[in-house]
Amino acid sequence: MGYGSSDDACVYTVTDDIAVIQTVDFFTPIVDDPYTFGQIAAANALSDVYAMGGEPKLAMNLLCVPNCLSAKTVRTILEGGHDKAVEAGCTIAGGHTIQDDEPKYGMCVTGFVHPRRILRNIGAMPGDVLVLTKPIGSGIVSTGIKAQMVSDSDRDVLYRHMSTLNAKAGRAVVEAKDVHACTDVTGFGLLGHSYEMASGSNVTIRLKAGAFPLMPGALELASMGIIPGGAYRNMDYVKPHMAVMPGVRQVYVDLASDPQTSGGLLAALPRDEAEKLLDKLKPFAPWSAIVGEVLPRGDKSIELTE
Ligand code: CO
Ligand code: CO
């Protein structure tokens, strides 16, 4: 795919019918519960395969363990990852563990895709709209949890979203017609990943703040300034390329900049196809929404409107 457009994974074409997708992701615990951490880390690592339009088939565990972590905790993290891999139809073929001061877990994932069905994060065309398949605000709510400002029910919703595979959403996107670009929303936030899509596609993306699906509690927490440091880095990165329209509250810039863990897919496709895609997503991802539209390249790559 080349390094120019920050694609989600590497793709290697084996034959006219088979291309291999290779990706890796691992991180330090973002939740206290080891099983949930394992699930989220696996769902996050598997996601880039779905973002490329593929199906994950093989994975290798990557694990860093401090001495103080009990064998039971380590086993529980791996169980969480294993169960997500099974759900994805992906075999964990092995892995590697080293000792480290801070625990870390993730996977190196191999997937397959037909070379003509590869979805890239560039190629969005004027007339497309952007469909997002998970709410944003996971970084903000995670930060709120550390500050003990999040209800148990909001926390549970967050964990459920972060541990949900992008498998079903990915299949719905693959089955949709005329998908011109797709990526998953992760560390760069909705803003950063939209900017990469816009600049790589030589278009302007107009994001509609009022249409963003939000994690419960995210808007309130962001209004109180509970925003992770990564959001400011994303904001600074996109700022020179973004026009914020009058009337847009700063809190929506914060939400759009919020780095996501195991976020949803962001797909660019014509509006009528996007409506059909939303119908398909409704049974399992009813919060999915059209969060923006693709315009011919204007002054800035990104416009944020109310
Ligand atoms: Co990605
Ligand atoms: Co990644």
Side-chain angles (χ1 to χ4, degrees), residues 29-37 40 73 77 145-146 155 159:
I30 46 158
V31 300
D32 287 335
D33 178 58
Y35 184 78
T36 307
F37 171 53
I40 294 170
T73 304
I77 293 172
I145 290 170
K146 283 184 211 140
R155 182 201 58 201
Y159 289 178

Side-chain angles (χ1 to χ4, degrees), residues 7-9 23-25 44-45 48 184 186:
D7 268 293
D8 293 291
T23 182
V24 61
D25 231 316
N44 181 70
D48 278 325
D184 56 346
T186 51

Side-chain angles (χ1 to χ4, degrees), residues 6-9 23 25 44 47-49 51-52 121 182-187 193 196 264-265:
S6 317
D7 268 293
D8 293 291
T23 182
D25 231 316
N44 181 70
S47 175
D48 278 325
V49 175
M52 304 294 304
N121 70 335
C182 182
T183 189
D184 56 346
V185 176
T186 51
H193 290 283
E196 288 192 327
L265 298 177

Side-chain angles (χ1 to χ4, degrees), residues 14-207:
V14 181
T15 69
D16 289 347
D17 302 320
I18 301 171
V20 175
I21 302 171
Q22 193 80 60
T23 182
V24 61
D25 231 316
F26 65 116
F27 45 63
T28 54
I30 46 158
V31 300
D32 287 335
D33 178 58
Y35 184 78
T36 307
F37 171 53
Q39 284 193 308
I40 294 170
N44 181 70
L46 292 158
S47 175
D48 278 325
V49 175
Y50 298 119
M52 304 294 304
E55 289 281 340
K57 289 298 171 196
L58 286 170
M60 304 286 250
N61 280 324
L62 288 158
L63 186 63
C64 302
V65 191
N67 279 331
C68 60
L69 216 60
S70 76
K72 181 168 178 287
T73 304
V74 173
R75 205 163 46 237
T76 311
I77 293 172
L78 291 174
E79 269 169 20
H82 170 263
D83 289 356
K84 273 294 143 185
V86 168
E87 189 188 328
C90 178
T91 304
I92 297 182
H96 191 71
T97 305
I98 60 163
Q99 202 195 348
D100 197 0
D101 293 340
E102 215 177 346
K104 298 173 191 79
Y105 175 59
M107 285 174 174
C108 178
V109 184
T110 303
F112 295 99
V113 64
H114 192 287
R116 276 199 306 274
R117 309 215 63 173
I118 295 167
L119 296 177
R120 301 196 58 185
N121 70 335
I122 58 170
M125 289 165 68
D128 287 350
V129 297
L130 294 180
V131 171
L132 176 64
T133 67
K134 280 187 192 180
I136 56 170
S138 64
I140 289 166
V141 179
S142 295
T143 305
I145 290 170
K146 283 184 211 140
Q148 299 185 326
M149 295 170 74
V150 175
S151 70
D152 288 357
S153 70
D154 285 358
R155 182 201 58 201
D156 290 349
V157 173
L158 170 72
Y159 289 178
R160 209 176 319 131
H161 278 300
M162 290 198 297
S163 59
T164 296
L165 291 175
N166 278 330
K168 284 184 183 172
R171 267 166 228 140
V173 169
V174 164
E175 285 167 16
K177 256 176 64 186
D178 297 328
V179 177
H180 295 132
C182 182
T183 189
D184 56 346
V185 176
T186 51
F188 292 144
L190 177 60
L191 200 57
H193 290 283
S194 298
Y195 167 65
E196 288 192 327
M197 189 180 280
S199 65
S201 309
N202 198 29
V203 295
T204 288
I205 287 178
R206 179 184 284 159
L207 294 172

